[in-house]
PDB file of all heavy atoms in Angstrom:
ATOM      1  N   THR A 154      -5.094  -8.514 -10.432  1.00 96.00           N
ATOM      2  CA  THR A 154      -5.429  -9.599  -9.526  1.00 96.00           C
ATOM      3  C   THR A 154      -5.083 -10.914 -10.203  1.00 96.00           C
ATOM      4  O   THR A 154      -4.578 -10.940 -11.319  1.00 96.00           O
ATOM      5  CB  THR A 154      -6.927  -9.534  -9.131  1.00 96.00           C
ATOM      6  OG1 THR A 154      -7.173 -10.460  -8.068  1.00 96.00           O
ATOM      7  CG2 THR A 154      -7.841  -9.822 -10.312  1.00 96.00           C
ATOM      8  N   ALA A 155      -5.352 -12.013  -9.531  1.00 95.00           N
ATOM      9  CA  ALA A 155      -5.142 -13.337 -10.125  1.00 95.00           C
ATOM     10  C   ALA A 155      -6.476 -13.850 -10.657  1.00 95.00           C
ATOM     11  O   ALA A 155      -7.538 -13.550 -10.096  1.00 95.00           O
ATOM     12  CB  ALA A 155      -4.587 -14.300  -9.079  1.00 95.00           C
ATOM     13  N   THR A 156      -6.416 -14.608 -11.722  1.00 96.00           N
ATOM     14  CA  THR A 156      -7.642 -15.127 -12.347  1.00 96.00           C
ATOM     15  C   THR A 156      -8.479 -15.938 -11.351  1.00 96.00           C
ATOM     16  O   THR A 156      -9.701 -15.927 -11.442  1.00 96.00           O
ATOM     17  CB  THR A 156      -7.316 -15.993 -13.577  1.00 96.00           C
ATOM     18  OG1 THR A 156      -6.397 -17.021 -13.196  1.00 96.00           O
ATOM     19  CG2 THR A 156      -6.717 -15.153 -14.698  1.00 96.00           C
ATOM     20  N   ARG A 157      -7.838 -16.585 -10.393  1.00 96.00           N
ATOM     21  CA  ARG A 157      -8.585 -17.413  -9.429  1.00 96.00           C
ATOM     22  C   ARG A 157      -9.529 -16.588  -8.542  1.00 96.00           C
ATOM     23  O   ARG A 157     -10.427 -17.127  -7.917  1.00 96.00           O
ATOM     24  CB  ARG A 157      -7.632 -18.266  -8.599  1.00 96.00           C
ATOM     25  CG  ARG A 157      -6.800 -17.524  -7.598  1.00 96.00           C
ATOM     26  CD  ARG A 157      -5.905 -18.503  -6.798  1.00 96.00           C
ATOM     27  NE  ARG A 157      -5.173 -17.846  -5.758  1.00 96.00           N
ATOM     28  CZ  ARG A 157      -3.996 -17.249  -5.921  1.00 96.00           C
ATOM     29  NH1 ARG A 157      -3.426 -17.230  -7.102  1.00 96.00           N
ATOM     30  NH2 ARG A 157      -3.391 -16.675  -4.899  1.00 96.00           N
ATOM     31  N   PHE A 158      -9.322 -15.278  -8.490  1.00 95.00           N
ATOM     32  CA  PHE A 158     -10.173 -14.419  -7.658  1.00 95.00           C
ATOM     33  C   PHE A 158     -11.346 -13.802  -8.433  1.00 95.00           C
ATOM     34  O   PHE A 158     -12.199 -13.132  -7.846  1.00 95.00           O
ATOM     35  CB  PHE A 158      -9.355 -13.288  -7.028  1.00 95.00           C
ATOM     36  CG  PHE A 158      -8.257 -13.768  -6.122  1.00 95.00           C
ATOM     37  CD1 PHE A 158      -6.973 -13.246  -6.256  1.00 95.00           C
ATOM     38  CD2 PHE A 158      -8.483 -14.714  -5.135  1.00 95.00           C
ATOM     39  CE1 PHE A 158      -5.945 -13.665  -5.425  1.00 95.00           C
ATOM     40  CE2 PHE A 158      -7.464 -15.147  -4.303  1.00 95.00           C
ATOM     41  CZ  PHE A 158      -6.192 -14.625  -4.450  1.00 95.00           C
ATOM     42  N   LEU A 159     -11.399 -14.006  -9.739  1.00 97.00           N
ATOM     43  CA  LEU A 159     -12.398 -13.315 -10.562  1.00 97.00           C
ATOM     44  C   LEU A 159     -13.836 -13.653 -10.194  1.00 97.00           C
ATOM     45  O   LEU A 159     -14.686 -12.756 -10.136  1.00 97.00           O
ATOM     46  CB  LEU A 159     -12.147 -13.575 -12.048  1.00 97.00           C
ATOM     47  CG  LEU A 159     -10.882 -12.923 -12.609  1.00 97.00           C
ATOM     48  CD1 LEU A 159     -10.670 -13.336 -14.063  1.00 97.00           C
ATOM     49  CD2 LEU A 159     -10.931 -11.404 -12.470  1.00 97.00           C
ATOM     50  N   ASP A 160     -14.139 -14.920  -9.938  1.00 97.00           N
ATOM     51  CA  ASP A 160     -15.519 -15.289  -9.576  1.00 97.00           C
ATOM     52  C   ASP A 160     -15.976 -14.516  -8.346  1.00 97.00           C
ATOM     53  O   ASP A 160     -17.071 -13.944  -8.320  1.00 97.00           O
ATOM     54  CB  ASP A 160     -15.642 -16.792  -9.325  1.00 97.00           C
ATOM     55  CG  ASP A 160     -15.601 -17.616 -10.596  1.00 97.00           C
ATOM     56  OD1 ASP A 160     -15.761 -17.041 -11.702  1.00 97.00           O
ATOM     57  OD2 ASP A 160     -15.402 -18.844 -10.498  1.00 97.00           O
ATOM     58  N   SER A 161     -15.132 -14.497  -7.339  1.00 96.00           N
ATOM     59  CA  SER A 161     -15.467 -13.783  -6.108  1.00 96.00           C
ATOM     60  C   SER A 161     -15.625 -12.286  -6.363  1.00 96.00           C
ATOM     61  O   SER A 161     -16.565 -11.655  -5.872  1.00 96.00           O
ATOM     62  CB  SER A 161     -14.376 -14.034  -5.070  1.00 96.00           C
ATOM     63  OG  SER A 161     -14.585 -13.240  -3.930  1.00 96.00           O
ATOM     64  N   ILE A 162     -14.720 -11.707  -7.143  1.00 97.00           N
ATOM     65  CA  ILE A 162     -14.771 -10.270  -7.424  1.00 97.00           C
ATOM     66  C   ILE A 162     -16.049  -9.905  -8.163  1.00 97.00           C
ATOM     67  O   ILE A 162     -16.705  -8.913  -7.841  1.00 97.00           O
ATOM     68  CB  ILE A 162     -13.520  -9.827  -8.221  1.00 97.00           C
ATOM     69  CG1 ILE A 162     -12.283  -9.881  -7.320  1.00 97.00           C
ATOM     70  CG2 ILE A 162     -13.713  -8.421  -8.806  1.00 97.00           C
ATOM     71  CD1 ILE A 162     -10.960  -9.734  -8.050  1.00 97.00           C
ATOM     72  N   PHE A 163     -16.446 -10.737  -9.142  1.00 97.00           N
ATOM     73  CA  PHE A 163     -17.653 -10.416  -9.906  1.00 97.00           C
ATOM     74  C   PHE A 163     -18.933 -10.756  -9.153  1.00 97.00           C
ATOM     75  O   PHE A 163     -20.028 -10.447  -9.611  1.00 97.00           O
ATOM     76  CB  PHE A 163     -17.597 -11.043 -11.303  1.00 97.00           C
ATOM     77  CG  PHE A 163     -16.706 -10.256 -12.236  1.00 97.00           C
ATOM     78  CD1 PHE A 163     -15.464 -10.724 -12.603  1.00 97.00           C
ATOM     79  CD2 PHE A 163     -17.101  -9.013 -12.710  1.00 97.00           C
ATOM     80  CE1 PHE A 163     -14.626  -9.982 -13.437  1.00 97.00           C
ATOM     81  CE2 PHE A 163     -16.284  -8.253 -13.535  1.00 97.00           C
ATOM     82  CZ  PHE A 163     -15.048  -8.747 -13.901  1.00 97.00           C
ATOM     83  N   LYS A 164     -18.816 -11.347  -7.953  1.00 97.00           N
ATOM     84  CA  LYS A 164     -19.966 -11.547  -7.064  1.00 97.00           C
ATOM     85  C   LYS A 164     -20.071 -10.418  -6.029  1.00 97.00           C
ATOM     86  O   LYS A 164     -21.147  -9.909  -5.767  1.00 97.00           O
ATOM     87  CB  LYS A 164     -19.862 -12.893  -6.340  1.00 97.00           C
ATOM     88  CG  LYS A 164     -20.194 -14.063  -7.212  1.00 97.00           C
ATOM     89  CD  LYS A 164     -20.134 -15.356  -6.415  1.00 97.00           C
ATOM     90  CE  LYS A 164     -20.366 -16.524  -7.351  1.00 97.00           C
ATOM     91  NZ  LYS A 164     -19.489 -17.651  -7.074  1.00 97.00           N
ATOM     92  N   GLN A 165     -18.943 -10.055  -5.434  1.00 96.00           N
ATOM     93  CA  GLN A 165     -18.984  -9.089  -4.322  1.00 96.00           C
ATOM     94  C   GLN A 165     -18.266  -7.776  -4.586  1.00 96.00           C
ATOM     95  O   GLN A 165     -18.291  -6.887  -3.740  1.00 96.00           O
ATOM     96  CB  GLN A 165     -18.435  -9.729  -3.051  1.00 96.00           C
ATOM     97  CG  GLN A 165     -16.955 -10.086  -3.114  1.00 96.00           C
ATOM     98  CD  GLN A 165     -16.480 -10.762  -1.839  1.00 96.00           C
ATOM     99  OE1 GLN A 165     -17.261 -11.382  -1.134  1.00 96.00           O
ATOM    100  NE2 GLN A 165     -15.198 -10.640  -1.539  1.00 96.00           N
ATOM    101  N   GLY A 166     -17.614  -7.625  -5.728  1.00 97.00           N
ATOM    102  CA  GLY A 166     -16.850  -6.415  -6.014  1.00 97.00           C
ATOM    103  C   GLY A 166     -15.463  -6.509  -5.397  1.00 97.00           C
ATOM    104  O   GLY A 166     -15.066  -7.551  -4.890  1.00 97.00           O
ATOM    105  N   LEU A 167     -14.740  -5.422  -5.464  1.00 97.00           N
ATOM    106  CA  LEU A 167     -13.428  -5.356  -4.829  1.00 97.00           C
ATOM    107  C   LEU A 167     -13.621  -4.825  -3.415  1.00 97.00           C
ATOM    108  O   LEU A 167     -14.195  -3.755  -3.220  1.00 97.00           O
ATOM    109  CB  LEU A 167     -12.484  -4.431  -5.609  1.00 97.00           C
ATOM    110  CG  LEU A 167     -12.038  -4.935  -6.973  1.00 97.00           C
ATOM    111  CD1 LEU A 167     -11.321  -3.825  -7.740  1.00 97.00           C
ATOM    112  CD2 LEU A 167     -11.137  -6.151  -6.828  1.00 97.00           C
ATOM    113  N   VAL A 168     -13.161  -5.585  -2.447  1.00 95.00           N
ATOM    114  CA  VAL A 168     -13.278  -5.181  -1.045  1.00 95.00           C
ATOM    115  C   VAL A 168     -11.883  -5.083  -0.444  1.00 95.00           C
ATOM    116  O   VAL A 168     -10.952  -5.768  -0.883  1.00 95.00           O
ATOM    117  CB  VAL A 168     -14.155  -6.163  -0.240  1.00 95.00           C
ATOM    118  CG1 VAL A 168     -15.594  -6.133  -0.744  1.00 95.00           C
ATOM    119  CG2 VAL A 168     -13.613  -7.574  -0.295  1.00 95.00           C
ATOM    120  N   ALA A 169     -11.748  -4.257   0.554  1.00 92.00           N
ATOM    121  CA  ALA A 169     -10.440  -4.022   1.161  1.00 92.00           C
ATOM    122  C   ALA A 169      -9.933  -5.226   1.953  1.00 92.00           C
ATOM    123  O   ALA A 169      -8.746  -5.340   2.193  1.00 92.00           O
ATOM    124  CB  ALA A 169     -10.498  -2.786   2.054  1.00 92.00           C
ATOM    125  N   GLY A 170     -10.817  -6.116   2.343  1.00 87.00           N
ATOM    126  CA  GLY A 170     -10.390  -7.266   3.139  1.00 87.00           C
ATOM    127  C   GLY A 170      -9.859  -6.797   4.473  1.00 87.00           C
ATOM    128  O   GLY A 170     -10.488  -5.991   5.154  1.00 87.00           O
ATOM    129  N   ASN A 171      -8.654  -7.247   4.834  1.00 86.00           N
ATOM    130  CA  ASN A 171      -8.093  -6.826   6.127  1.00 86.00           C
ATOM    131  C   ASN A 171      -7.327  -5.515   6.032  1.00 86.00           C
ATOM    132  O   ASN A 171      -6.807  -5.026   7.014  1.00 86.00           O
ATOM    133  CB  ASN A 171      -7.225  -7.935   6.722  1.00 86.00           C
ATOM    134  CG  ASN A 171      -6.003  -8.251   5.868  1.00 86.00           C
ATOM    135  OD1 ASN A 171      -5.864  -7.750   4.748  1.00 86.00           O
ATOM    136  ND2 ASN A 171      -5.128  -9.081   6.379  1.00 86.00           N
ATOM    137  N   ARG A 172      -7.252  -4.942   4.839  1.00 85.00           N
ATOM    138  CA  ARG A 172      -6.614  -3.637   4.678  1.00 85.00           C
ATOM    139  C   ARG A 172      -7.662  -2.539   4.795  1.00 85.00           C
ATOM    140  O   ARG A 172      -8.854  -2.802   4.815  1.00 85.00           O
ATOM    141  CB  ARG A 172      -5.910  -3.551   3.324  1.00 85.00           C
ATOM    142  CG  ARG A 172      -4.756  -4.532   3.240  1.00 85.00           C
ATOM    143  CD  ARG A 172      -3.930  -4.278   2.047  1.00 85.00           C
ATOM    144  NE  ARG A 172      -2.868  -5.270   1.966  1.00 85.00           N
ATOM    145  CZ  ARG A 172      -1.844  -5.153   1.184  1.00 85.00           C
ATOM    146  NH1 ARG A 172      -1.718  -4.104   0.401  1.00 85.00           N
ATOM    147  NH2 ARG A 172      -0.915  -6.083   1.161  1.00 85.00           N
ATOM    148  N   HIS A 173      -7.209  -1.314   4.809  1.00 87.00           N
ATOM    149  CA  HIS A 173      -8.134  -0.192   4.962  1.00 87.00           C
ATOM    150  C   HIS A 173      -8.761   0.242   3.650  1.00 87.00           C
ATOM    151  O   HIS A 173      -9.830   0.832   3.650  1.00 87.00           O
ATOM    152  CB  HIS A 173      -7.416   0.994   5.599  1.00 87.00           C
ATOM    153  CG  HIS A 173      -6.882   0.688   6.978  1.00 87.00           C
ATOM    154  ND1 HIS A 173      -6.242   1.621   7.737  1.00 87.00           N
ATOM    155  CD2 HIS A 173      -6.878  -0.434   7.726  1.00 87.00           C
ATOM    156  CE1 HIS A 173      -5.875   1.091   8.890  1.00 87.00           C
ATOM    157  NE2 HIS A 173      -6.246  -0.164   8.899  1.00 87.00           N
ATOM    158  N   TYR A 174      -8.070  -0.007   2.528  1.00 93.00           N
ATOM    159  CA  TYR A 174      -8.542   0.462   1.223  1.00 93.00           C
ATOM    160  C   TYR A 174      -8.281  -0.574   0.134  1.00 93.00           C
ATOM    161  O   TYR A 174      -7.362  -1.384   0.241  1.00 93.00           O
ATOM    162  CB  TYR A 174      -7.799   1.745   0.802  1.00 93.00           C
ATOM    163  CG  TYR A 174      -8.062   2.928   1.680  1.00 93.00           C
ATOM    164  CD1 TYR A 174      -7.187   3.261   2.704  1.00 93.00           C
ATOM    165  CD2 TYR A 174      -9.182   3.736   1.477  1.00 93.00           C
ATOM    166  CE1 TYR A 174      -7.423   4.366   3.520  1.00 93.00           C
ATOM    167  CE2 TYR A 174      -9.417   4.831   2.277  1.00 93.00           C
ATOM    168  CZ  TYR A 174      -8.544   5.141   3.300  1.00 93.00           C
ATOM    169  OH  TYR A 174      -8.782   6.231   4.093  1.00 93.00           O
ATOM    170  N   VAL A 175      -9.061  -0.465  -0.943  1.00 96.00           N
ATOM    171  CA  VAL A 175      -8.772  -1.164  -2.185  1.00 96.00           C
ATOM    172  C   VAL A 175      -7.732  -0.313  -2.914  1.00 96.00           C
ATOM    173  O   VAL A 175      -7.850   0.904  -2.966  1.00 96.00           O
ATOM    174  CB  VAL A 175     -10.049  -1.305  -3.054  1.00 96.00           C
ATOM    175  CG1 VAL A 175      -9.724  -1.849  -4.440  1.00 96.00           C
ATOM    176  CG2 VAL A 175     -11.080  -2.181  -2.345  1.00 96.00           C
ATOM    177  N   HIS A 176      -6.728  -0.962  -3.488  1.00 95.00           N
ATOM    178  CA  HIS A 176      -5.654  -0.261  -4.195  1.00 95.00           C
ATOM    179  C   HIS A 176      -5.892  -0.335  -5.696  1.00 95.00           C
ATOM    180  O   HIS A 176      -6.138  -1.412  -6.242  1.00 95.00           O
ATOM    181  CB  HIS A 176      -4.304  -0.906  -3.877  1.00 95.00           C
ATOM    182  CG  HIS A 176      -3.932  -0.810  -2.430  1.00 95.00           C
ATOM    183  ND1 HIS A 176      -2.720  -1.224  -1.966  1.00 95.00           N
ATOM    184  CD2 HIS A 176      -4.600  -0.352  -1.364  1.00 95.00           C
ATOM    185  CE1 HIS A 176      -2.652  -1.014  -0.664  1.00 95.00           C
ATOM    186  NE2 HIS A 176      -3.792  -0.488  -0.275  1.00 95.00           N
ATOM    187  N   LEU A 177      -5.804   0.817  -6.355  1.00 97.00           N
ATOM    188  CA  LEU A 177      -6.008   0.903  -7.794  1.00 97.00           C
ATOM    189  C   LEU A 177      -4.813   1.612  -8.427  1.00 97.00           C
ATOM    190  O   LEU A 177      -4.176   2.454  -7.804  1.00 97.00           O
ATOM    191  CB  LEU A 177      -7.301   1.667  -8.102  1.00 97.00           C
ATOM    192  CG  LEU A 177      -8.578   1.084  -7.477  1.00 97.00           C
ATOM    193  CD1 LEU A 177      -9.745   2.034  -7.663  1.00 97.00           C
ATOM    194  CD2 LEU A 177      -8.885  -0.279  -8.057  1.00 97.00           C
ATOM    195  N   SER A 178      -4.546   1.271  -9.688  1.00 96.00           N
ATOM    196  CA  SER A 178      -3.394   1.819 -10.407  1.00 96.00           C
ATOM    197  C   SER A 178      -3.853   2.696 -11.558  1.00 96.00           C
ATOM    198  O   SER A 178      -4.846   2.398 -12.215  1.00 96.00           O
ATOM    199  CB  SER A 178      -2.548   0.681 -10.986  1.00 96.00           C
ATOM    200  OG  SER A 178      -2.159  -0.207  -9.973  1.00 96.00           O
ATOM    201  N   ALA A 179      -3.082   3.740 -11.818  1.00 96.00           N
ATOM    202  CA  ALA A 179      -3.401   4.639 -12.935  1.00 96.00           C
ATOM    203  C   ALA A 179      -2.988   4.047 -14.273  1.00 96.00           C
ATOM    204  O   ALA A 179      -3.484   4.462 -15.312  1.00 96.00           O
ATOM    205  CB  ALA A 179      -2.720   5.989 -12.733  1.00 96.00           C
TER     206      ALA A 179
END
Side-chain angles (χ1 to χ4, degrees):
T154 190
T156 54
R157 71 179 185 274
F158 299 132
L159 291 176
D160 286 345
S161 173
I162 290 169
F163 282 106
K164 284 183 184 139
Q165 66 182 26
L167 291 170
V168 295
N171 64 352
R172 295 191 182 194
H173 299 182
Y174 295 97
V175 172
H176 297 186
L177 303 171
S178 304

